[in-house]
Amino acid sequence: MDPIIKISDLDKYFGMLHVLKNITLEIQPREVVCLIGRSGSGKSTLLRCTNFLEEPSHGTIEVDGIKVEAQGKGGEHRQQIHDLRLKTGMVFQEFNLFPHMTVLGNVIEGPVTVKGMDRNQAIALAEENLDSVGLLFKKDEYPNRLSGGQKQRVAIARALTMQPRVMLFDEPTSALDPELIGEVLNVMKKVAKDGMTMLVVTHEMGFAREVADRVIVMAEGELIEDSNPDELFRAPKDPRTKALIDRYRSGES
């Protein structure tokens, strides 16, 4: 089976700072991959390069057959990025909901304006996805009437309504109060169980251990370890991974 995400020889510089260093990574359809590592290791930058929210300095990104070279120019490059983004749903740390739109308005905005979907079709799809995240009853509310966990679940429903082939999650629980984290993680578990390919930047080690098919550890802009969760948490090979897991375990006790 061909990989659905293929990242090759990826570098990213911010000025003189070399943030991502020769990253090569393949993810199979329906695979759930969690990226873990200390803050500043490059996890979020890698995620944002995957859908060209950050333009890579070098390398290629391919998602579901759409291949884009870094630093391309002109209309063809812009169209390739547009096509690649249609394949990827993105959920951010902050919810990025439009405050002047209802929940339903937020969820249908992308399909109608970006994909040109018929409004009634978009509404039906949005209601289906809101129901799947347990928030159909909030469809006529405005974001300021929602909890943080509810806002993030709406953001997930919004991304799913674009019918992506891949979902990218950038620390989706980091802005939430501790008591709200579980409701978002439960929705993400359901999305994974439904067969969505997922690349998840997270500090939630329990989620990574339970849900991921693979856990990848980043440090200083490099992928330092890539393994199944059981093996990685039981016997990490790199001392930096061991230190990360030890900190997680000490926080559990």
Side-chain angles (χ1 to χ4, degrees):
M1 186 181 297
D2 291 333
I4 194 167
I5 298 176
K6 191 171 184 179
I7 299 171
S8 303
D9 304 321
L10 181 71
D11 285 279
K12 176 63 180 177
Y13 288 85
F14 289 112
M16 297 296 291
L17 187 62
H18 197 180
V19 179
L20 297 177
K21 303 171 184 175
N22 196 33
I23 302 288
T24 293
L25 172 65
E26 293 185 353
I27 298 174
Q28 298 297 321
R30 304 173 69 92
E31 195 172 25
V32 177
V33 176
C34 284
L35 279 172
I36 66 173
R38 299 186 69 172
S39 296
S41 60
K43 306 182 303 296
S44 292
T45 302
L46 175 56
L47 204 72
R48 292 172 67 86
C49 284
T50 302
N51 67 353
F52 279 79
L53 287 177
E54 293 284 358
E55 178 82 32
S57 303
H58 177 267
T60 61
I61 307 284
E62 185 174 342
V63 177
D64 196 32
I66 305 296
K67 186 175 182 179
V68 187
E69 297 275 352
Q71 301 298 315
K73 304 295 181 186
E76 182 179 359
H77 182 66
R78 289 192 296 273
Q79 184 63 48
Q80 288 173 334
I81 291 174
H82 173 78
D83 293 344
L84 182 145
R85 285 178 179 163
L86 288 179
K87 303 279 190 178
T88 61
M90 182 88 174
V91 178
F92 300 89
Q93 297 178 33
E94 300 294 338
F95 324 114
N96 295 339
L97 301 179
F98 295 115
H100 63 288
M101 292 182 178
T102 64
V103 164
L104 185 63
N106 268 279
V107 177
I108 69 171
E109 178 69 11
V112 171
T113 61
V114 177
K115 297 183 75 173
M117 187 181 292
D118 173 78
R119 184 178 176 84
N120 288 332
Q121 181 186 354
I123 289 172
L125 190 57
E127 289 181 342
E128 178 184 331
N129 284 312
L130 284 169
D131 190 42
S132 76
V133 302
L135 287 174
L136 181 57
F137 73 106
K138 293 285 190 181
K139 69 176 184 176
D140 296 321
E141 296 279 11
Y142 286 85
N144 66 352
R145 304 270 297 175
L146 304 178
S147 71
Q150 289 172 335
K151 289 176 185 176
Q152 195 62 293
R153 286 152 62 194
V154 170
I156 294 171
R158 177 181 58 185
L160 290 172
T161 302
M162 289 293 287
Q163 300 177 300
R165 295 297 313 280
V166 168
M167 285 283 284
L168 308 175
F169 293 86
D170 187 8
E171 298 190 28
T173 61
S174 65
L176 299 179
D177 294 332
E179 67 270 17
L180 301 176
I181 289 172
E183 67 184 73
V184 173
L185 293 179
N186 285 336
V187 168
M188 292 171 64
K189 290 173 189 176
K190 182 178 185 300
V191 173
K193 190 175 180 181
D194 289 344
M196 177 63 70
T197 305
M198 294 167 56
L199 180 57
V200 183
V201 172
T202 186
H203 290 291
E204 298 292 335
M205 298 289 191
F207 174 85
R209 192 167 194 170
E210 179 183 350
V211 179
D213 299 298
R214 287 158 60 201
V215 177
I216 296 175
V217 186
M218 289 193 70
E220 299 174 344
E222 298 179 303
L223 309 184
I224 63 168
E225 198 151 350
D226 182 345
S227 183
N228 70 69
D230 287 343
E231 183 177 331
L232 185 133
F233 281 92
R234 185 183 70 252
K237 296 180 176 64
D238 191 287
R240 291 167 291 182
T241 304
K242 184 178 186 304
L244 193 70
I245 292 170
D246 286 346
R247 278 202 305 276
Y248 157 63
R249 286 178 175 150
S250 66
E252 277 189 330
S253 56

